[in-house]
Amino acid sequence: AQSVTQLGSHVSVSEGALVLLRCNYSSSVPPYLFWYVQYPNQGLQLLLKYTSAATLVKGINGFEAEFKKSETSFHLTKPSAHMSDAAEYFCAVSDRGSSNTGKLIFGQGTTLQVKP
Amino acid sequence: ETGVTQTPRHLVMGMTNKKSLKCEQHLGHNAMYWYKQSAKKPLELMFVYSLEERVENNSVPSRFSPECPNSSHLFLHLHTLQPEDSALYLCASSQGASLSTGELFFGEGSRLTVL
């Protein structure tokens, strides 16, 4: 069965600093991986996705993530944090089981705080 | 209206009430989902509908009853809930139930409080 672990439930960075949010996955089949962002009082919005094409994936708002099969990781990065990046971030892996219902397995989320 | 719309945004109900959450998608998708988001817990998939047929039911208690009358609308009927059911309920849609065709599009959620 597929699973996702996000290391660190809370990350705090200064404005302009590097953002690194960690995600490790477990999957018995080649995974599809996703990062979603949730701003306060809103639903989830897709940041980026990996679907077995290029291992370095670029998303919206300057975020990118690199798929590393040897490390079973899909960490999210942004070179320079902005105050507007403060939100909760979710890593997810597709559950590509026999039912193929498009089910996503989500991590527990990481809250990103950006300090001025 | 664009995207995925959920109503009501906030709902407070007693344990003996009957209420419903509504979701409408304007994206022409043919799969719809209900997720439950509780504090400090991962998002939990509750139900999946593909082409208006339920294809997934993740051991959800019978006090939650979904309904999908057409590919654009999804309901979650609530009956005799418990306080631990208080959570944010998120609706999502996708083009095809297979993730190879794309992402999930989420609504803003319905915040449910059970007293």
Side-chain angles (χ1 to χ4, degrees):
Chain A
Q2 286 78 11
S3 67
V4 167
T5 302
Q6 291 184 239
L7 301 176
S9 60
H10 189 97
V11 170
S12 181
V13 301
S14 298
E15 190 174 20
L18 171 71
V19 175
L20 171 61
L21 304 182
R22 299 178 186 274
C23 173
N24 288 90
Y25 70 90
S26 173
S27 177
S28 57
V29 298
Y32 292 162
L33 294 159
F34 304 77
W35 274 100
Y36 281 83
V37 60
Q38 185 178 31
Y39 298 103
N41 300 314
Q42 293 189 27
L44 279 69
Q45 179 184 2
L46 182 72
L47 272 179
L48 49 80
K49 60 183 177 182
Y50 168 76
T51 56
S52 72
T55 56
L56 181 62
V57 181
K58 294 187 183 297
I60 62 172
N61 301 337
F63 284 93
E64 62 182 38
E66 186 172 8
F67 172 71
K68 292 187 176 180
K69 183 178 179 180
S70 61
E71 299 178 8
T72 61
S73 69
F74 190 57
H75 302 331
L76 182 70
T77 60
K78 181 174 180 177
S80 176
H82 192 271
M83 296 297 291
S84 60
D85 294 326
E88 188 152 18
Y89 292 79
F90 294 91
C91 184
V93 63
S94 61
D95 184 0
R96 299 169 63 196
S98 57
S99 64
N100 197 27
T101 55
K103 183 168 63 175
L104 287 181
I105 308 299
F106 284 88
Q108 291 189 302
T110 298
T111 301
L112 175 65
Q113 180 188 25
V114 182
K115 298 176 291 186
Chain B
E1 294 276 9
T2 58
V4 180
T5 304
Q6 290 186 243
T7 56
R9 293 292 310 278
H10 299 273
L11 177 62
V12 179
M13 59 187 289
M15 290 190 286
T16 58
N17 291 158
K18 288 184 181 180
K19 297 286 185 184
S20 296
L21 306 180
K22 178 183 175 182
C23 177
E24 183 174 3
Q25 59 95 1
H26 310 272
L27 300 168
H29 292 166
N30 56 19
M32 297 188 76
Y33 310 73
W34 280 116
Y35 278 85
K36 177 183 178 182
Q37 186 178 28
S38 304
K40 307 301 181 185
K41 293 175 68 175
L43 276 77
E44 303 170 52
L45 179 67
M46 300 175 73
F47 301 104
V48 180
Y49 277 82
S50 177
L51 298 173
E52 300 149 44
E53 286 192 27
R54 191 189 310 180
V55 296
E56 185 92 17
N57 176 354
N58 267 6
S59 302
V60 179
S62 60
R63 57 186 184 269
F64 294 92
S65 174
E67 178 190 2
C68 188
N70 55 62
S71 60
S72 298
H73 293 86
L74 184 65
F75 294 89
L76 188 62
H77 303 300
L78 315 170
H79 174 54
T80 58
L81 295 191
Q82 304 298 312
E84 59 265 28
D85 297 323
S86 299
L88 182 68
Y89 289 85
L90 291 164
C91 175
S93 70
S94 69
Q95 180 51 39
S98 167
L99 272 176
S100 63
T101 61
E103 69 198 70
L104 291 182
F105 291 77
F106 284 85
E108 294 187 321
S110 292
R111 173 72 62 188
L112 173 66
T113 302
V114 182
L115 301 177

